[in-house]
Amino acid sequence: KKFVLIDDSIVRGTQLSETVSYLIENGAKEIHVRSACPPIMYGCKFLNFSRSVSDLELITRRVIRDLEGIKDDEVPESLLAQYADSKTQKHAEMVEEIRKILQFDSLKFQNLEDTIEAIGVDQCKLCTYCWNGKE
């Protein structure tokens, strides 16, 4: 059995992790995940969309911290920008590590540029803070 899961976002990874465990226990051979939005890099400070108490609740932040070997909990903004940019090698490494952690056979995120284009509203009228940290 091959499953393709489409989700609006991957915030902490806990919900999809439970789903994947269930699918594997019930005979899934492949699990491919597509996220309808870019990776969430910042906890929402406006509407509490991601409902995170700490940015380290976000799977992206934990993965970046581990990939970079950061000992404290703070990931420098300059580093976050590199991981948030879907065209960088660091972004690809982060996505691959998330894929491994969550036991997916493949994982793809929508990129921010295509998300904005699909919405059809001028970027200055959209909140993209959770994806790129820009207010």
Side-chain angles (χ1 to χ4, degrees):
K1 299 173 190 173
K2 179 179 177 178
F3 289 91
V4 176
L5 300 174
I6 299 172
D7 206 340
D8 61 344
S9 63
I10 300 174
V11 180
R12 288 172 287 282
T14 52
Q15 185 176 15
L16 276 176
S17 181
E18 293 169 5
T19 302
V20 168
S21 293
Y22 174 81
L23 291 172
I24 290 171
E25 289 169 10
N26 288 283
K29 301 295 183 211
E30 294 182 31
I31 299 170
H32 302 272
V33 176
R34 302 299 179 260
S35 179
C37 75
I40 295 178
M41 306 291 289
Y42 298 84
C44 181
K45 64 182 189 177
F46 302 110
L47 298 175
N48 200 20
F49 166 71
S50 61
R51 293 185 178 87
S52 296
V53 175
S54 161
D55 283 336
L56 280 178
E57 288 185 32
L58 304 173
I59 193 167
T60 53
R61 289 293 187 99
R62 293 191 312 272
V63 164
I64 293 167
R65 181 196 60 196
D66 294 346
L67 286 172
E68 294 292 333
I70 296 171
K71 300 297 179 211
D72 60 11
D73 293 342
E74 287 300 315
V75 177
E77 285 297 319
S78 60
L79 207 48
L80 285 172
Q82 293 175 48
Y83 281 97
D85 183 347
S86 64
K87 298 174 192 79
T88 68
Q89 182 62 33
K90 287 197 177 291
H91 178 87
E93 291 168 1
M94 175 188 68
V95 172
E96 175 60 12
E97 191 63 22
I98 293 169
R99 182 199 69 75
K100 288 179 190 174
I101 290 168
L102 297 178
Q103 302 178 38
F104 305 152
D105 291 284
S106 70
L107 171 62
K108 301 234 190 252
F109 287 91
Q110 178 73 281
N111 69 48
L112 184 54
E113 297 79 15
D114 290 346
T115 300
I116 292 168
E117 183 179 338
I119 293 169
V121 174
D122 190 283
Q123 183 173 353
C124 68
K125 295 180 180 178
L126 294 174
C127 181
T128 60
Y129 181 80
C130 63
W131 299 315
N132 64 8
K134 296 179 182 175
E135 294 182 32

